[in-house]
C-alpha cells in the first residue's frame, strides 16, 4: 500500500471515530448499536462493513472513550466521561480527530 493510501486510511479511521463519539453524544442515553453507527457513518460517505466498525469501537474502548457491550451480532457503544471530554475539547484522544471549535 502506498504512503498516500496509508495516510488516507488513517484519516478515515480518525474521522469515523469522531463521528461515532458525536453520534453517541446526540442520543439521550448516549448509546447506539454498531448497526445504527453503520448508517450514521454512511451519511458521511464512510461505507464500511460491521467488522471494521467494531474495530473502531474497540479502539475507542481501549482509549476509554466508550464502553462496549456485545448484543448478539452487534455491539452497543456508550459514551464515557473521557469521550465527552474529547468532544468538549478538554482533552485530545490519540487516533481520534479533534472536534472543530464551536462556531468554527
Amino acid at each position: 500500500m502506498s504512503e498516500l493510501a496509508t495516510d488516507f486510511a488513517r484519516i478515515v479511521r480518525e474521522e469515523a471515530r469522531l463521528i461515532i463519539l458525536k453520534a453517541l453524544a446526540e442520543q439521550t442515553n448516549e448509546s447506539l448499536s454498531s448497526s445504527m453507527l453503520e448508517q450514521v457513518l454512511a451519511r458521511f460517505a464512510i461505507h464500511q462493513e460491521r467488522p471494521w466498525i467494531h474495530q473502531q469501537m474497540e479502539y475507542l474502548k481501549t482509549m476509554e472513550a466508550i464502553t462496549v457491550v456485545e448484543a448478539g451480532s452487534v455491539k452497543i457503544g456508550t459514551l464515557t466521561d473521557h469521550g465527552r471530554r474529547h468532544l468538549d475539547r478538554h482533552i485530545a484522544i490519540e487516533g481520534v480527530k479533534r472536534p472543530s471549535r464551536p462556531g468554527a
Side-chain angles (χ1 to χ4, degrees):
M1 194 179 327
S2 72
E3 188 175 324
L4 180 61
T6 303
D7 286 350
F8 183 73
R10 178 185 51 79
I11 290 166
V12 170
R13 284 192 309 272
E14 292 178 358
E15 179 83 22
R17 292 168 185 160
L18 176 60
I19 291 166
I20 289 169
L21 292 181
K22 285 182 172 181
L24 296 176
E26 290 173 358
Q27 305 308 308
T28 303
N29 64 356
E30 296 186 325
S31 298
L32 279 173
S33 71
S34 51
S35 66
M36 294 297 292
L37 289 170
E38 194 172 347
Q39 296 171 36
V40 171
L41 290 167
R43 287 200 315 249
F44 292 90
I46 299 175
H47 301 280
Q48 294 289 344
E49 300 290 328
R50 198 172 298 163
W52 186 90
I53 295 167
H54 287 174
Q55 288 176 346
Q56 307 322 307
M57 293 174 76
E58 287 301 320
Y59 179 87
L60 290 168
K61 177 183 172 185
T62 300
M63 301 306 281
E64 301 179 347
I66 69 172
T67 59
V68 176
V69 175
E70 300 207 17
S73 64
V74 299
K75 295 185 182 215
I76 309 295
T78 302
L79 188 67
T80 64
D81 289 341
H82 196 68
R84 167 56 71 186
R85 289 175 49 92
H86 178 84
L87 291 174
D88 292 343
R89 297 180 57 86
H90 295 164
I91 60 168
I93 298 174
E94 183 180 341
V96 182
K97 183 177 177 184
R98 288 276 281 161
S100 302
R101 289 179 176 270

